[in-house]
Amino acid sequence: MPVPSDLSVTRGVPSRRRNRLGPWLAVASLLSLLTVALALAYWLWQPATLRIAVGPAGSDDQTLVLAIAKAIEAKSSAVRLTPIETDGTLQSLNLLGSGKADLAVARGDLTMPPDANSVAILRRNFVVMWAPTGRKGVPRSKVTDIASLSGRRIGIVGLGDANPNLLRVILGESGVNPQKVTIAQFGTDRISEMTQDTALDAFMMVGALDDKVIAETIAATTRLRGEPKFLSVDVSEAIAERHPLYESEEIPAGAFAASPQRPDDKIETIAVNHLIVAPSTLSDDTVGAFTRDLFAVKPSLVKELPGASHIQKPDTDKDAALPAHAGAAAYIDGNERSFMDKYSDYIWGVVLLLSGLGSVAAWLRHYLRREERSENALHRDRLLTAISSVREATSLDDLAAMQSAADDILRETLVCHEDGAIEDGDLAAFGLVLAQFHQAIVDRRAVIAQIGYADAAQKSDGAVLQPFPISTAAR
């Protein structure tokens, strides 16, 4: 009889499907993992860009910030600075408060945004006040100390309210009614006009001790109106106590000229910090990286810009008038987080993401091989059905043909198992059916052999032949 159609198989189809989809699935999985890894690496190691507001154009602040930005970029660090030019510190703080800048350069006694924190001190500004002592043909100023400023006129270098407000604090703490002192403000481009104004009884400037503009202005008033009489702020400690944004400092002898010394002795005064500030919401890690890079490039900056030597670390005391940003404080106090502290959440996130991608890839692989599993289940059912056909077979050739077809099914099943298309449980179920099929083949061969032996005996010369039983075990 012919081979039952139940055992017919389409050879090679599962193998061809596997060879076609397997490599592409592996490539797709690898590319997915690589894309995720590259995206995360790019995100983690991409330098953070910080916009810093500074001005006015051509000022010492802008020159210093541009040099800092260049030095940090050359260092290939984790941050980049993008300077934003402004008209001055007030506009810089406005940009910071509105979120249009990440950092700003400003004096510490200005009105800051509510969440502003200090990142670094660029320099310490000293209050310098003096009165001309007069010379031949030029009237002598009657101002000898701060108390004698009452009823007088003082010229202040710098526009805006910062310096006049500071003068009013000094006058008030010194017992002088600020309303009785006339203030005349001059921009830095009008200093020459100020020095020639004989109606001024005294002068005031605020800046670093090595500021050439201060030294040149003092020298100009000396040439025109005689040697300066420097005014000491004797109540500097009281001012610092009541106004935490100010500090009591001393101007050393010879700070503005060596020969003759100006001043000829140390002078007590008030100082206010000129700062880089940032909102407290700015990333601690980003601010910490910027602070670390700033102090790392400071030695090289000093070689080009001596003013960079004034860069200092801010006060990290939580009770400070303008507290240090948490990121800057962590660097200064040596409490920066380690790599694992910073990125452990990201690392676990990557692990979970990769695990999820692995699950998705496994599901996709399982889904793409659903036809192979269905065909394998169909082969198993055909093999189970074929057991009945085996018991009805009448020739050994039919049994051999069915056995050959079963071998092909077994081969395809093993290939599918190795390829992951079917699970161990499916293979075990298939093995049980296959064992039953083989047992049926063995039993049917024994029966056919006995029938053939009996037929041969009947055709003999009458000799009685006893059939030789063929047990299943012997087979």
Side-chain angles (χ1 to χ4, degrees):
M1 70 180 284
V3 179
S5 59
D6 290 336
L7 291 183
S8 61
V9 295
T10 306
R11 300 181 183 180
V13 173
S15 298
R16 286 196 299 271
R17 184 185 298 114
R18 183 187 66 255
N19 293 336
R20 182 173 67 251
L21 296 179
W24 286 110
L25 185 61
V27 170
S29 301
L30 180 61
L31 288 178
S32 299
L33 294 177
L34 183 61
T35 300
V36 172
L38 290 177
L40 288 173
Y42 178 82
W43 179 66
L44 289 175
W45 280 278
Q46 182 72 4
T49 299
L50 296 175
R51 303 163 297 171
I52 180 168
V54 59
S59 63
D60 292 340
D61 289 342
Q62 187 188 51
T63 301
L64 180 57
V65 167
L66 289 174
I68 292 173
K70 183 179 179 180
I72 290 179
E73 183 175 3
K75 188 175 177 290
S76 299
S77 63
V79 295
R80 295 286 187 274
L81 279 187
T82 300
I84 300 176
E85 183 179 305
T86 65
D87 296 336
T89 54
L90 291 178
Q91 185 183 8
S92 298
L93 289 176
N94 288 336
L95 292 178
L96 183 71
S98 63
K100 296 179 180 179
D102 305 303
L103 304 170
V105 176
R107 238 170 70 169
D109 59 343
L110 295 176
T111 302
M112 299 280 178
D115 62 343
N117 291 155
S118 61
V119 176
I121 300 173
L122 287 186
R123 65 176 179 275
R124 184 158 293 176
N125 290 331
F126 291 74
V127 176
V128 183
M129 303 174 66
W130 74 98
T133 58
R135 55 179 301 176
K136 186 177 181 181
V138 180
R140 177 189 180 94
S141 173
K142 296 181 180 180
V143 176
T144 57
D145 55 22
I146 290 180
S148 60
L149 283 172
S150 181
R152 304 299 174 183
R153 191 166 181 261
I154 183 171
I156 298 179
V157 176
L159 303 178
D161 297 331
N163 286 348
N165 289 340
L166 177 52
L167 175 62
R168 293 185 185 100
V169 171
I170 295 174
L171 292 174
E173 295 293 339
S174 301
V176 178
N177 185 352
Q179 300 297 327
K180 294 184 178 182
V181 178
T182 302
I183 296 174
Q185 289 183 259
F186 298 84
T188 54
D189 57 341
R190 296 177 57 205
I191 290 179
S192 176
E193 178 184 339
M194 183 188 72
T195 59
Q196 297 176 28
D197 188 348
T198 58
L200 296 174
D201 300 292
F203 306 95
M204 172 180 168
M205 297 184 72
V206 181
L209 292 181
D210 59 354
D211 190 337
K212 293 182 179 180
V213 176
I214 296 179
E216 291 172 355
T217 303
I218 294 173
T221 61
T222 301
R223 289 192 304 269
L224 295 173
R225 302 182 60 181
E227 285 293 326
K229 167 64 177 177
F230 289 93
L231 308 180
S232 176
V233 184
D234 298 328
V235 293
S236 61
E237 292 185 0
I239 292 175
E241 182 70 22
R242 298 180 187 179
H243 305 272
L245 291 174
Y246 301 124
E247 298 180 16
S248 176
E249 288 286 354
E250 289 183 346
I251 299 175
F256 307 115
S259 181
Q261 281 193 342
R262 298 187 186 122
D264 57 3
D265 198 1
K266 62 183 180 180
I267 300 295
E268 191 172 350
T269 190
I270 288 295
V272 58
N273 290 329
H274 208 73
L275 307 159
I276 295 178
V277 294
S280 58
T281 54
L282 190 59
S283 167
D284 293 354
D285 293 336
T286 301
V287 174
F290 167 71
T291 308
R292 181 172 57 253
D293 290 337
L294 174 62
F295 287 98
V297 302
K298 176 183 174 181
S300 62
L301 290 174
V302 173
K303 298 177 182 178
E304 300 178 4
L305 297 172
S309 61
H310 299 307
I311 298 176
Q312 300 177 35
K313 298 173 182 178
D315 185 1
T316 59
D317 191 338
K318 294 182 179 180
D319 296 329
L322 188 62
H325 192 284
Y331 163 73
I332 295 169
D333 296 337
N335 296 326
E336 286 188 292
R337 297 185 299 168
S338 65
F339 179 85
M340 288 302 298
D341 291 335
K342 291 180 181 179
Y343 300 114
S344 59
D345 292 342
Y346 300 124
I347 292 174
W348 283 113
V350 170
V351 171
L352 292 176
L353 180 61
L354 293 179
S355 176
L357 287 175
S359 299
V360 170
W363 175 86
L364 181 61
R365 182 181 182 185
H366 188 267
Y367 176 77
L368 292 176
R369 288 173 177 163
R370 64 190 185 283
E371 294 183 5
E372 293 182 55
R373 292 193 304 276
S374 298
E375 188 169 354
N376 180 261
L378 182 60
H379 288 334
R380 182 190 59 203
D381 294 340
R382 288 174 178 172
L383 194 62
L384 185 62
T385 304
I387 295 177
S388 299
S389 300
V390 169
R391 292 170 181 163
E392 296 174 1
T394 57
S395 69
L396 296 177
D397 291 338
D398 292 340
L399 293 178
M402 286 189 283
Q403 181 67 64
S404 177
D407 292 341
D408 290 339
I409 292 176
L410 175 61
R411 186 179 301 108
E412 292 293 346
T413 300
L414 292 177
V415 169
C416 289
H417 178 264
E418 292 175 358
D419 196 37
I422 62 174
E423 305 295 336
D424 291 342
D426 297 329
L427 183 64
F430 177 84
L432 180 62
V433 174
L434 184 63
Q436 293 295 322
F437 175 81
H438 282 310
Q439 185 63 49
I441 289 287
V442 170
D443 293 343
R444 189 58 183 171
R445 281 179 176 169
V447 171
I448 292 175
Q450 287 180 338
I451 293 174
Y453 186 80
D455 291 343
Q458 291 177 1
K459 294 178 182 180
S460 63
D461 293 335
V464 178
L465 298 177
Q466 298 295 328
F468 181 77
I470 303 177
S471 66
T472 299
R475 294 299 294 174

